């Protein structure tokens, strides 16, 4: 989302700089050539609290040097720790700092120290961005004094393809149908729940497969689960795909099994491409995106039998899949880049108006 917003603003002729603590070697998404890219190369794990304090102090000073050099009107912090450091780095400078929570806060533990800092630093920021009303309410309750605005993520359509390219036809046989899931192979995404929910499907629907695109620390564990359940012939984890549009266009059904989210981009992307969808009704995002029994189905989070039943329902009923698919495409307008950028414009106009005064 950082890349998407930066590219959109740069295309307007704005002077946009992306600063990360991590190395630019870790970049995956392409940037408009006019976007300035600054990598501070200060991302590292700390062995103890003293090292952590020193490392973050160095990050704060390095970012403050960049802000002094660039002299931006606005600084946008993306995610908690970067937002806190950005707010402190901008203290006393002429810029205005807007911070942004990208996950529903109570579902992403950040530790006592960072929680303390968020509570006392966020009120110093000009605005705090939440992705959903639920996250906004949490912030206003637990971080008193901060000024919160809700701006959901936009969907880009169509999505540009980048490396690595992974052709669906090389993974799925033409005569077979498939469920698609996309995301980092991490505990948050709940792919173990999805695999267990799918386990009984092949016996009833032998022409269906489950494809999970992504990479992450849970790969070996998920592969072992697939093998243990005897699903190696119909559940595949082919890795990361930079041409995810090709997969959305060919998928017969999209499934999201996340245990928590902020605002799941892949869910909106899949719907924009006309995928009927099923999702755990997790905190937060899915219920703000899916209109239950209109363009998809919401399932109680973590409920494997309920997810299995919903999978079976949509696999069995091709007419219902078509109905949901037709309505799902409306996500292109509901969450269009133009629509969401207008919310950012309104926010920036308010912030800069106060800045000018």
């Amino acid at each position: 989302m950082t890349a998407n917003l930066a590219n959109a603003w740069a295309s307007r002729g704005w002077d946009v700089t992306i600063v990360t603590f991590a190395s630019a070697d870790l970049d995956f998404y392409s940037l408009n050539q006019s976007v300035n890219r600054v990598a501070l190369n200060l991302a590292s794990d700390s062995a103890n609290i003293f090292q952590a304090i020193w490392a973050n102090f160095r990050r704060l000073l390095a970012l403050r040097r960049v802000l002094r050099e660039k002299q931006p009107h606005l600084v946008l912090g993306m995610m908690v720790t970067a937002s806190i450091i950005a707010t402190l780095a901008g203290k006393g400078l002429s810029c205005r700092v807007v911070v942004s929570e990208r996950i529903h806060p109570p579902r992403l533990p950040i530790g006592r120290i960072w929680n303390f800092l968020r509570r006392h630093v966020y009120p110093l920021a000009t605005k705090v961005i939440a992705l959903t009303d639920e996250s906004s309410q949490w912030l206003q309750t637990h971080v008193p004094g901060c000024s919160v605005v809700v701006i959901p993520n936009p969907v880009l359509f169509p999505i540009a393809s980048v490396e690595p390219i992974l052709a669906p036809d090389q993974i799925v046989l033409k005569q077979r149908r498939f469920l698609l899931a996309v995301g980092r192979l991490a505990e948050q995404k709940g792919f173990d729940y999805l695999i267990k929910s799918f386990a009984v499907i092949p016996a009833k629907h032998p022409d269906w497969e489950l494809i999970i695109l992504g990479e992450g620390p849970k790969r070996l564990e998920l592969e072992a689960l697939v093998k243990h359940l005897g699903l190696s012939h119909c559940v595949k984890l082919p890795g990361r795909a930079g041409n995810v549009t090709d997969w959305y266009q060919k998928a017969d059904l999209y499934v999201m099994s996340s245990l928590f989210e902020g605002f799941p981009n892949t869910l909106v992307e899949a719907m924009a491409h006309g995928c009927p969808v099923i999702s755990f009704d997790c905190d937060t995002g899915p219920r703000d995106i899916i209109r239950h029994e209109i363009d998809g189905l919401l399932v109680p989070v973590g409920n494997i039998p309920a997810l299995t039943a919903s999978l079976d329902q949509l696999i069995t009923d091709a007419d219902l899949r078509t109905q949901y698919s037709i309505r799902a495409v409306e996500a292109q307008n509901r969450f269009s880049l133009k629509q969401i950028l207008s919310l950012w414009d309104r926010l920036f106009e308010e912030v800069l108006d106060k800045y000018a005064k």
Side-chain angles (χ1 to χ4, degrees):
M1 194 47 54
T2 300
N4 290 343
L5 290 173
N7 289 339
W9 291 325
S11 69
R12 293 177 167 183
W14 294 13
D15 184 359
V16 180
T17 299
I18 292 180
V19 184
T20 62
F21 300 129
S23 166
D25 294 338
L26 298 177
D27 289 0
F28 178 72
Y29 299 102
S30 58
L31 295 175
N32 185 306
Q33 61 181 1
S34 65
V35 174
N36 302 303
R37 181 71 178 87
V38 176
L40 299 178
N41 298 313
L42 291 174
S44 62
D45 293 328
S46 301
N48 54 60
I49 189 172
F50 301 106
Q51 285 187 9
I53 291 172
W54 174 242
N56 283 298
F57 182 67
R58 290 179 62 213
R59 291 166 189 148
L60 190 156
L61 291 180
L63 180 57
R64 188 172 176 86
R65 284 194 293 271
V66 173
L67 298 184
R68 285 182 177 278
E69 176 188 345
K70 299 290 184 180
Q71 297 185 2
H73 294 92
L74 287 163
V75 177
L76 175 59
M78 298 293 277
M79 303 187 71
V80 185
T81 56
S83 290
I84 291 171
I85 292 174
T87 303
L88 294 174
K91 192 67 176 172
L93 302 181
S94 60
C95 58
R96 291 293 183 265
V97 180
V98 175
V99 302
S100 178
E101 291 272 348
R102 315 310 297 174
I103 296 287
H104 186 46
R107 299 309 304 266
L108 185 65
I110 56 175
R112 293 171 58 187
I113 293 176
W114 286 110
N115 266 323
F116 174 85
L117 288 172
R118 173 165 57 190
R119 183 179 178 87
H120 291 86
V121 173
Y122 272 20
L124 303 177
T126 307
K127 289 288 181 180
V128 178
I129 308 301
L131 294 173
T132 65
D133 289 332
E134 191 172 351
S135 292
S136 172
Q137 292 167 9
W138 188 96
L139 285 164
Q140 292 178 69
T141 300
H142 294 85
V143 190
C146 65
S147 177
V148 187
V149 176
V150 176
I151 302 181
N153 286 338
V155 60
L156 295 190
F157 184 87
I159 303 171
S161 292
V162 297
E163 294 292 339
I165 301 298
L166 190 62
D169 291 343
Q170 294 179 351
I171 307 299
V172 183
L173 297 177
K174 291 183 179 180
Q175 66 270 27
R176 295 174 71 85
R177 297 182 178 277
F178 70 96
L179 316 174
L180 177 65
V182 179
R184 189 165 181 264
L185 305 185
E187 185 174 356
Q188 173 197 349
K189 301 301 181 181
F191 289 135
D192 50 341
Y193 289 82
L194 175 55
I195 292 168
K196 292 174 183 176
S197 299
F198 183 77
V200 302
I201 297 296
K204 188 173 181 180
H205 306 282
D207 57 332
W208 282 73
E209 296 184 4
L210 169 62
I211 307 295
I212 302 175
L213 297 180
E215 277 298 345
K218 291 288 185 179
R219 168 169 286 281
L220 294 179
E221 185 177 318
L222 293 174
E223 288 176 340
L225 177 61
V226 170
K227 184 176 181 180
H228 173 72
L229 295 175
L231 300 173
S232 298
H233 65 292
C234 59
V235 176
K236 299 172 183 175
L237 291 81
R240 183 186 291 118
N243 58 324
V244 69
T245 287
D246 297 336
W247 288 88
Y248 290 141
Q249 290 174 338
K250 289 184 175 294
D252 297 280
L253 181 60
Y254 187 83
V255 188
M256 197 184 82
S257 53
S258 293
L259 304 179
F260 62 93
E261 282 285 349
F263 192 88
N265 299 328
T266 60
L267 186 60
V268 186
E269 291 170 356
M271 294 174 68
H273 285 82
C275 288
V277 294
I278 300 173
S279 175
F280 275 156
D281 187 19
C282 65
D283 294 335
T284 56
R287 68 183 70 104
D288 298 279
I289 298 168
I290 296 176
R291 297 169 294 184
H292 183 59
E293 297 184 337
I294 295 176
D295 51 23
L297 298 175
L298 291 168
V299 178
V301 64
N303 191 320
I304 292 175
L307 181 54
T308 299
S310 293
L311 292 173
D312 183 52
Q313 178 186 2
L314 284 188
I315 287 173
T316 301
D317 194 337
D319 290 339
L320 187 58
R321 290 203 310 274
T322 299
Q323 176 186 324
Y324 287 175
S325 175
I326 292 170
R327 298 301 301 273
V329 176
E330 295 171 7
Q332 291 181 24
N333 293 323
R334 293 168 57 210
F335 302 102
S336 69
L337 182 61
K338 180 180 179 181
Q339 177 77 12
I340 303 305
L341 284 179
S342 69
L343 301 179
W344 283 103
D345 288 343
R346 195 177 309 159
L347 168 68
F348 288 165
E349 287 172 5
E350 178 186 346
V351 169
L352 292 176
D353 183 57
K354 291 181 179 179
Y355 174 86
K357 294 177 181 179

